Each structure stands twice: as C-alpha cells, then as structure tokens.
Amino acid sequence: MTSTAEIVSRCEAIFEDLDFTAARAWKDAVPGRKVVGFLPLYAPLELIHAAGCLPLGLFGGGDKLEVIHGDAFYQSYICRIPRSTVELGMTRRLDFVDGMIFPFVCDVIRNLSGMWKIMFPNVWTKFFDTPQNFDPEIGGSYYVAELQEMREGLEALTGRKISDDDLRRSIALYNENRRLVRQLYAFRARQPWKAPTSEVYLLMRAGLMMDVAEHNALLVGYMAAAEKEDRPKRDNVRVAIYGSFCEQPPLNLIKSIEMAGCYVVEDDYILVNRFLTEDVALDIDPLQALAAAYIGHSVETSCKYVPREGEKGKFHVDQIRKAGAEGVIYATPSFCDPALLDRPMICKKLTEEGIPHISFKYAENSGQMQPVREQAGTFADSIKLWS
Amino acid sequence: MSEIVKEPSMLLQKEMIARNYEAITSKHETGRKVSSTFVPGNLNELLLCFDIVNNLPEINAIQNGMRKLSGNYIMDAEKAGHSEDVCTYVKADIGMMGAGNIAPNGKPFPKPDVLLLSYTGCYTFMKWFELLREEYKCPTLMLHVPYEGDGHSTKNMRDYIVKQLKEVIIPGLEEVSGIKFDIDRLREALRNSAKAEDNLVWVLESGKHKPSPIDAYFGGVYYIGPIFTAFRGTRDAIAYYDALRKEVQARIETRQGPITPDGSNFNDQRYRLIVEGPPNWTNFREFWKMFSDEGAVVVASSYTKVGGMYDLGFRHDADNPLETLADYCLGCYTNRNLPTRVDILAKYIEEYEADGLLINSIKSCNSFSAGQLMIMNEVERRTGKPGAFIETDLVDPRYFSAANVKNRLESYFQMIEQKRLGTAKAA
C-alpha cells in the first residue's frame, strides 16, 4: 500500500508545477483531447468532464511565481490572484488550455473574464453566472438554461455532443468524489493528527488538476494509509478557517497555523468539490439535477446571497459545531471584497454563539509567517486558557 | 473655498433633491413608505406604482463626501470592524448610521420599509444590503441581474429578471405598500422616463459640438442626477430635462461652453477628453478645477452611463413594461463586459473627436477599476489617442492626493500637445 507521504509528495509535485506538466501529459495522451481551466469558486465540473475535457483548477500562481507582466495590469489595491493568473497566461504556461471558465465570485474575477477574451481571443472563455435567487422555479430554471448554454459551448469547443448518459456518468463520478471528500473531511475532524490540513489541502488542490476517477482512487488510498499510520496526537486546539475560498494562502501559511498549535478541522479552502453538499440526483434530467443540487444543497459562502437574515452565518456555525472546532480563524486575502464585506457579519454571528475568533489578511505570495504563527499561537493559547 | 457656481438646471435639481429628502425624512408624518435601493438598475418606475419613496445609499455617501463628512464616517466604520480594503460608500453609509443617520436636510433618516436590492453590475451591493438588513431588520427584495459576460444579454437572462419581477419584487412591494400593482400606472411612468431620456441623450451628445456646451463628467454628474435617482418616470424629470436642454441649446447658439467651478464660461477649451470611472467626491471642486484651469473639457464619460446607457439607443418601453425594466438593468455600464467597455470608449473617442482617454481609477470600486489598465491600453491601441491614469477614491479623503493628481494631469496634457505636434509634423 502506498504511504501518505508518497501520496502527498505526488500531490505536492502537481501543486507546485506551474507548467502543468501532468495536465499537458493528459492532453497529449489522446489526440483531440481538450483542457478547460476554471477559476475559483464553483464550476459544474461534471459538464466539462462529460464533454471529454479535463477540468483544470487554476488558483493563481501561489508564492513560487514571480509576477512581472501581471502587475502591469492591476492597480496596487487589487488582490493577487488576477495578477498571477494573467502572469500564467502571458508566460504561455496556459498555452495548452482550450477553454476558460470564470465563475462568479466578485467583480475582479468577472472583469478578468473579459480581459481573457481580449488577451486570448482563440480560447473559449466563459463567464459563468450562478443564480442568487434560490427558488427552484426562478433561479433554478434560469440555471438550467445557463447550464444548457455551457453544454452547447463545450460541444462547440470539442465538436462532439454531450448526451444525457455522458452527463450522468460524470455526475456519478463526481458524486463519488464528493462523498470521498466528505469522508476525508470527517476523518480529519475526528483525527486531525492523522490527516493534517497541509496534506488534505494538497490532496484537494491536486485533485482539481487530474481526472476525477484518478482523484477518487487517490482519496481512497490516502484515507486507508492515514488510518493505519501511527502519528502522535498533540495538545492542539481545534480551529475552523474561513474567508479563504478564492485566492489561496501559501502552503507555508497553512503549515504555520498547524505549527502554532492548531488542528484545522474545518475550512473553506477551494470549496469546489465541497460546494454541493449532497449527491446530485441520477434519476432525473441531469441539468435539472445539477441545478437542484446548487439551489437546494450548496454551501453558504461570501459570493452567495443569503436570503434570510436569520440564516446568515448559520451554515458556518453548524459546520463548526459538526467539526468540533473550538475557534475560528477568519483568514482573508487582502482586497478580497466578498470575504472582507462578509467578515463583520460572520464574526458577529460567531460572537453571538460564543465562538472565539480572530482574523488576519494574507496574499498568495505572503512570505513572512512569523506574525501568523504568533497570532495563531496566541489564539490557541487563549482558547486553552479561557474557553 | 467658495461654493460651486450653479447653472439654473443645477438649482432646479437641488430643489428636487431637497424635496425627495423631505419626503424620506417625513415618512412618519405622511405615512409614505420608504425603500433603499441602488442607482444602477434601479426600479424607480415600479416604486412609483406603489407610492414608495426612493432613498439611495450611494447618493447619501456622495452627499456626505461633498460635505466633508465621509472621512470620519469611514474611520468610524473601520473602528467597528469594517476592512480598510472595501468600498468606501458602504463604510460612509454605515458610519453615518452610527452617527445618528442624519439626512442632508438635518433630519434623521427613518428606517426603510424595504431594501430593494437591484443587483446590477456591482458585487458589493449584495453584501451592503445584507449589512443594512442586519441593522434595519426590514424585508429585503433581491433582484439578481446576470452580468453580460459574453457582451450581450440573452433571452434566458431577460426571462429570469422578468420572472423575479413578477414573482418576487412586485408581490413584495405590494405587501410592503399595501397597494395593488397597476400595470397602466407603470406604463405611464415608463412613458415619462422615455421622454426625459430623449432629452438627456440630446444633452449628453451635445458634447460633440466645438466648443462643447457641456462638461460631460463634472457637469454630467448633475445632468444624470434626476434620471438616475428618485425622479425617473416622473413629470418632474420631464420638466428638468426640458429645462436642461433649453439651457444647453442656448449655449450652443451662442457658442458658449459650460460654467466652470469659478463661474466663468468655459470657452477656452484646449483639450477634449473622454473620462472613464467615477469622480472623486471629497475634493470634487478641486478636482474639477484641475481640468478647467488647464482648459480640459470632458466631452463624454462612462460614469454618466452607470445608471443606464441611453445614448446607445435604449429607452424605457411602455409597451413591454417588465421586459424593458429587465433590459434597462442588464444594460447599465458596469454590467457590460470589458471588451464592450473598450468598444464604447473607443467609439466615444472617435465620435466626440476627443484628444484621449483619461481613467480615474477608484481604489474602492473594483466593478469599475479591475481591468482599467487594459481598457486604457486597448483604447490607445485602437484609436491612436493617448491615455492616462490617475487614482483617487469615491468618498475617502485619505486617497485624494491633489499634488499627484495634478502632476499626472499636467503630464498628460503635455503628452497630448506632443502628440498633436507629431501629427502636425507628419501632415
């Protein structure tokens, strides 16, 4: 059996490879294959997969990419992820990507979709606007038609029809993926010393850059190996991380929080394959099924409207309780409108619920971890002493 | 510093705005219901059908910016936990609430009866109203307007908006107001809108004259006031735009420019500019003077399209009342994608025979600002006219550096001169 170290090492290599060698190899393996990149946060990967394409998660350039061209496109007060994404594009690291999906997150990502159309006119570029009305008859119907439009766009890109059966097969694979991801998160919440977040994170990131079936096998392998491995349990505090759904922190920041005495038992890193919280139905029209899952069973996060005031932050509190977290670190990328506008409301809810919390900002290329370690360490100590 | 010299239409508008604030702040005496809603994609004609008064948080923030109150409000909001990174309209609004929520007429704003969240072209609106909802505990009606990511709207987008109007917004407003929806009343308001819109477009397009009888940015923010706010759909708006048109017509006939902040006629127009992005409000007059002192007149701007792109042909259509509201919401400037914005600005440069594009990039407005450097480069490439970039903020005085802005503007005007010399030599 493969060890967790081997699995994590493989994932880390994929995560750190800004030339996307694995995705290029996937494409080259069979003539005619296409790769469709997607930015945070949620995109219907099932459709891309059913079109025979590789959905490639693009989460910026991290702390390993020197941004030169990208900075020329953005003012100082705009977050890092669009800069490094532009950098990836301009340095031809994404020259094998045939299509790009920009899901709705915020105005920056929205505008980036138009920039991509100008910069890369030969790439099929789609802004994907998910509904903010959660009535199945209103937002749901709109969403079905949007999915159909995306289906037709992918068909035009690949030159092949996506049948309902193709879609159902993909949905089944992604249902399996979501189940395994939920299992892994539940496993981490139960025994976080056996599944450190720095490892789980790499598993998730790499999983969004490979075929879903391969990722499913990887998840099964990791959980089996982690269960068997004997890792010491420390006297750490159990925390949840929120605010990090789009621009991702450097891996060192995640590790630093753990090194400061925190077990991260709940988080909103990436969220893509946890966005739908239940299986997508297989016994109805597949687009209807995807829409119903989004409308009825998706996470609360800052780029979604919460229709009822009393519900605001409730999802977070429920998740915190379920995971047994003792406190929350609200960690946000600088200049992130969604997370920073949400922060006062979510933190107010946490205060009302008696859940300790702290907040700080980061950037994907943050290098100084000492302040994070000190802040997280002090937070952990305060929970141990006073909560 | 003395007051800005007002043109007659500005005085008329001042009276209208004062009347609207009076209607808002006297709701307890009159029994009228009050909505808070946003400028882009607002549904004023619909609100009129329910006798609901329209209050606009952005306009209140602008008012507070111009009256030098916003700086403290913003810092108060930051002290209360709001980030220094986010929209300063939001923080000015929240800070104002903490300081007693006093309207420009000196009376306290009442709690709104409904938050009508018409979510067009700006992500922040959604969170802003979630924040206000916490404070006011009143119903929030969300109208989600999809973004025109592919450069055009689709039938699905339009149907989605119409469905929300029918099934969420109208029933919600009926409940709040106790008034049954009357589509004929809406049609009447839409007819009024279209009449006023015709004259607004005529005024905005008068910038094609030389000298331009208008400043389509600093003067333009006054011109759009009634139609982008509580008056679209009213006879007041028709009267205002009639008066404005006559005022501008008179200037065209006598070859006069608009009035400068100092009160003189701006006839010595040396530079004709297109401006992209909102103005700075905390130093509005100082900012304006930097242009007029150098002889720079703005002949067209994108900010005057933020509440509707009437110059591209859209008019509210009484024959298709709900569909036209949908089309209006979809077509607001910041709901259009980057390539479309480039097309619009390049077209303005050509049609208004402008010397170049100036971008005022706003720190706290990603809806406008993210991507503007690319817009500038693209417009320069397509038109051959020079572009320039300055950075300020909406209502946060900490982000207005007069010396920096002035330096950049002066350099830009020199660049235009050099370009002209080069063109002349080549000829």
Side-chain angles (χ1 to χ4, degrees):
Chain A
M1 190 175 69
T2 318
S3 69
T4 56
E6 286 168 306
I7 292 169
V8 170
S9 166
R10 185 182 160 210
C11 291
E12 190 164 12
I14 294 172
F15 162 75
E16 286 189 344
D17 177 15
L18 293 177
D19 289 316
F20 305 100
T21 310
R24 284 175 190 272
W26 179 91
K27 182 175 176 170
D28 292 342
V30 178
R33 274 184 168 176
K34 306 269 187 201
V35 174
V36 176
F38 66 93
L39 263 72
L41 181 61
Y42 171 71
L45 307 186
E46 293 88 341
L47 267 174
I48 304 171
H49 185 269
C53 303
L54 177 73
L56 179 69
L58 297 170
F59 293 84
D63 57 351
K64 299 283 191 293
L65 182 71
E66 189 185 2
V67 174
I68 300 165
H69 306 83
D71 277 349
F73 285 80
Y74 289 103
Q75 302 89 313
S76 55
Y77 43 80
I78 287 172
C79 56
R80 294 289 309 175
I81 184 168
R83 300 163 193 276
S84 61
T85 305
V86 166
E87 188 75 21
L88 290 171
M90 294 200 73
T91 52
R92 302 186 57 80
R93 288 176 165 95
L94 300 177
D95 60 0
F96 68 106
V97 174
D98 306 282
M100 283 285 276
I101 293 173
F102 294 82
F104 173 78
V105 181
C106 68
D107 295 332
V108 172
I109 300 296
R110 184 195 77 180
N111 290 2
L112 181 60
S113 71
M115 292 171 67
W116 216 264
K117 280 179 189 283
I118 294 172
M119 282 191 287
F120 306 103
N122 297 325
V123 174
W124 174 70
T125 298
K126 184 83 190 147
F127 174 74
F128 185 63
D129 207 351
T130 41
Q132 299 291 355
N133 174 298
F134 301 101
D135 181 328
E137 296 302 316
I138 304 173
S141 303
Y142 161 76
Y143 192 46
V144 168
E146 289 297 296
L147 289 168
Q148 178 60 25
E149 194 181 314
M150 179 170 283
R151 180 186 199 161
E152 287 162 11
L154 287 161
E155 286 173 345
L157 178 72
T158 59
R160 60 173 255 197
K161 284 275 171 200
I162 303 170
S163 72
D164 283 357
D165 284 341
D166 290 335
L167 247 176
R168 284 197 189 91
R169 274 191 292 274
S170 297
I171 289 172
L173 277 168
Y174 277 94
N175 277 345
E176 178 66 6
N177 188 251
R178 283 184 282 265
R179 275 196 291 268
L180 289 166
V181 168
R182 284 197 295 270
Q183 272 178 35
L184 175 59
Y185 271 68
F187 174 67
R188 182 188 67 172
R190 277 195 311 276
Q191 296 170 292
W193 57 95
K194 287 195 169 185
T197 292
S198 50
E199 293 185 4
V200 171
Y201 179 78
L202 288 169
L203 215 57
M204 293 299 115
R205 279 290 294 268
L208 295 168
M209 298 161 82
M210 63 175 64
D211 186 79
V212 61
E214 198 180 348
H215 189 226
N216 288 347
L218 211 62
L219 290 168
V220 170
Y222 178 84
M223 281 187 279
E227 186 65 73
K228 287 198 165 58
E229 280 170 24
D230 184 23
R231 289 178 165 186
K233 182 183 175 184
R234 296 181 197 285
D235 182 24
N236 282 4
V237 162
R238 300 164 63 89
V239 300
I241 307 264
Y242 289 124
S244 307
F245 46 85
C246 181
E247 179 179 316
Q248 297 297 293
L251 188 59
N252 271 341
L253 191 149
I254 297 170
K255 287 179 179 170
S256 292
I257 290 172
E258 292 184 313
M259 284 163 65
C262 299
Y263 281 134
V264 179
V265 293
E266 154 71 358
D267 64 64
D268 66 353
Y269 295 132
I270 319 167
L271 273 182
V272 181
N273 46 19
R274 286 175 291 145
F275 204 87
L276 303 182
T277 54
E278 294 184 11
D279 278 3
V280 178
L282 288 166
D283 53 353
I284 58 171
D285 172 85
L287 297 187
Q288 298 273 2
L290 284 168
Y294 174 85
I295 294 287
H297 308 291
S298 55
V299 295
E300 180 191 327
T301 186
S302 299
C303 53
K304 272 177 70 186
Y305 177 62
V306 177
R308 281 172 292 279
E309 196 226 332
E311 297 287 309
K312 185 76 192 176
K314 187 174 173 296
F315 176 85
H316 298 82
V317 172
D318 289 348
Q319 290 292 106
I320 290 161
R321 302 270 190 242
K322 203 165 102 187
E326 299 162 276
V328 171
I329 297 177
Y330 202 92
T332 319
S334 294
F335 309 110
C336 175
D337 279 345
L340 290 169
L341 283 161
D342 233 11
R343 191 177 69 187
M345 291 181 277
I346 301 297
C347 289
K348 184 177 165 215
K349 183 79 178 176
L350 297 177
T351 304
E352 285 169 3
E353 296 288 332
I355 299 168
H357 53 90
I358 56 162
S359 59
F360 59 75
K361 292 193 288 185
Y362 63 82
E364 63 178 13
N365 63 343
S366 290
Q368 287 289 328
M369 292 306 150
Q370 192 57 27
V372 169
R373 222 170 287 156
E374 281 171 10
Q375 207 174 343
T378 307
F379 181 58
D381 288 347
S382 75
I383 288 175
K384 278 183 202 165
L385 285 169
W386 310 111
S387 289
Chain B
M1 198 175 271
S2 58
E3 283 286 295
I4 293 171
V5 175
K6 307 274 188 194
E7 293 168 345
S9 60
M10 286 182 181
L11 296 172
L12 176 57
Q13 184 177 157
K14 192 176 175 185
E15 181 273 318
M16 290 164 74
I17 290 170
R19 192 151 28 95
N20 193 54
Y21 275 121
E22 203 53 42
I24 295 166
T25 53
S26 64
K27 85 159 207 180
H28 294 304
E29 293 89 75
T30 62
R32 289 188 73 176
K33 303 292 183 187
V34 170
S35 73
S36 280
T37 194
F38 293 110
V39 170
N42 74 57
L43 302 170
N44 201 53
E45 295 90 346
L46 203 54
L47 290 170
L48 291 172
C49 298
F50 300 98
D51 289 336
I52 295 176
V53 190
N54 172 339
N55 186 21
L56 299 137
E58 305 114 294
I59 303 295
N60 299 337
I62 291 170
Q63 292 273 346
N64 287 326
M66 293 181 98
R67 292 186 303 142
K68 311 282 184 197
L69 297 171
S70 56
N72 285 337
Y73 290 162
I74 289 166
M75 284 193 283
D76 287 347
E78 288 176 2
K79 279 180 209 153
H82 292 269
S83 170
E84 62 271 27
D85 290 356
V86 302
C87 175
T88 50
Y89 277 168
V90 177
K91 288 182 287 185
D93 191 31
I94 285 167
M96 181 181 74
M97 278 195 271
N101 221 9
I102 304 299
N105 63 3
K107 299 175 186 173
F109 276 115
K111 283 189 175 185
D113 298 284
V114 61
L115 297 168
L116 177 53
L117 171 48
S118 179
Y119 169 40
T120 305
C122 167
Y123 162 83
T124 297
F125 288 166
M126 193 163 80
K127 293 291 137 184
W128 192 346
F129 267 21
E130 282 187 356
L131 285 159
L132 291 191
R133 185 178 61 186
E134 262 192 357
E135 181 70 22
Y136 291 127
K137 311 284 182 201
C138 69
T140 309
L141 301 174
M142 154 65 121
L143 177 71
H144 175 210
V145 177
Y147 178 65
E148 291 191 351
D150 286 334
H152 56 83
S153 62
T154 63
K155 184 177 179 299
N156 185 42
M157 293 175 181
R158 193 192 213 208
D159 291 348
Y160 174 47
I161 299 171
V162 169
K163 214 175 207 179
Q164 291 177 81
L165 290 170
K166 280 183 182 166
E167 295 179 29
V168 180
I169 307 298
I170 291 173
L173 294 175
E174 282 181 327
E175 197 176 328
V176 165
S177 66
I179 294 172
K180 192 156 175 48
F181 175 57
D182 175 356
I183 200 157
D184 289 328
R185 207 171 160 190
L186 177 60
R187 288 183 204 276
E188 177 63 24
L190 293 168
R191 269 189 287 274
N192 289 343
S193 295
K195 280 182 199 161
E197 287 156 5
D198 280 342
N199 280 338
L200 170 71
V201 171
W202 184 91
V203 167
L204 293 177
E205 291 190 337
S206 72
K208 291 175 182 172
H209 287 268
K210 290 181 184 175
S212 173
I214 62 166
D215 185 291
Y217 191 53
F218 298 104
V221 300
Y222 291 93
Y223 302 153
I224 59 174
I227 209 147
F228 283 7
T229 61
F231 299 96
R232 202 182 60 241
T234 66
R235 291 185 183 281
D236 281 339
I238 296 176
Y240 170 82
Y241 286 99
D242 272 343
L244 177 63
R245 179 169 177 161
K246 287 188 182 107
E247 191 176 291
V248 174
Q249 180 68 50
R251 290 204 289 271
I252 293 170
E253 285 163 9
T254 53
R255 293 185 56 77
Q256 297 282 310
I259 291 177
T260 66
D262 294 331
S264 57
N265 279 100
F266 188 6
N267 296 336
D268 181 20
Q269 298 178 0
R270 294 191 291 279
Y271 309 107
R272 294 168 62 81
L273 303 181
I274 306 298
V275 175
E276 147 82 4
N280 167 270
W281 300 107
T282 53
N283 299 67
F284 186 77
R285 188 191 177 193
E286 190 182 359
F287 191 34
W288 185 356
K289 259 181 73 62
M290 288 180 194
F291 288 72
S292 60
D293 285 352
E294 295 287 335
V297 66
V298 182
V299 290
S301 70
S302 57
Y303 183 68
T304 49
K305 315 296 154 52
V306 75
M309 294 224 59
Y310 304 107
D311 64 331
L312 295 191
F314 172 80
R315 295 290 181 280
H316 280 91
D317 174 10
D319 292 334
N320 297 289
L322 298 186
E323 292 77 7
T324 203
L325 292 176
D327 293 342
Y328 162 68
C329 292
L330 284 162
C332 291
Y333 181 71
T334 52
N335 206 50
R336 295 174 183 247
N337 75 353
L338 256 286
T340 309
R341 284 169 63 185
V342 169
D343 290 344
I344 290 167
L345 294 167
K347 181 170 167 274
Y348 285 166
I349 298 258
E350 303 294 346
E351 289 186 355
Y352 288 78
E353 295 183 56
D355 294 299
L357 173 70
L358 176 78
I359 292 178
N360 181 32
S361 181
I362 295 293
K363 178 196 176 268
S364 66
C365 181
N366 284 339
S367 174
F368 260 105
S369 303
Q372 277 178 326
L373 284 160
M374 171 168 248
I375 288 177
M376 183 178 73
N377 291 337
E378 278 297 296
V379 172
E380 271 188 335
R381 188 182 63 77
R382 280 168 52 169
T383 64
K385 297 287 172 65
F389 210 81
I390 53 175
E391 291 174 291
T392 69
D393 189 51
L394 297 165
V395 289
D396 190 340
R398 294 172 298 186
Y399 293 98
F400 185 85
S401 166
N404 282 344
V405 172
K406 200 167 187 323
N407 275 344
R408 286 211 189 181
L409 285 176
E410 284 171 359
S411 304
Y412 181 47
F413 299 136
Q414 285 170 21
M415 200 191 335
I416 291 174
E417 290 290 0
Q418 281 167 8
K419 190 93 180 169
R420 281 177 180 165
L421 282 173
T423 309
K425 270 183 194 164

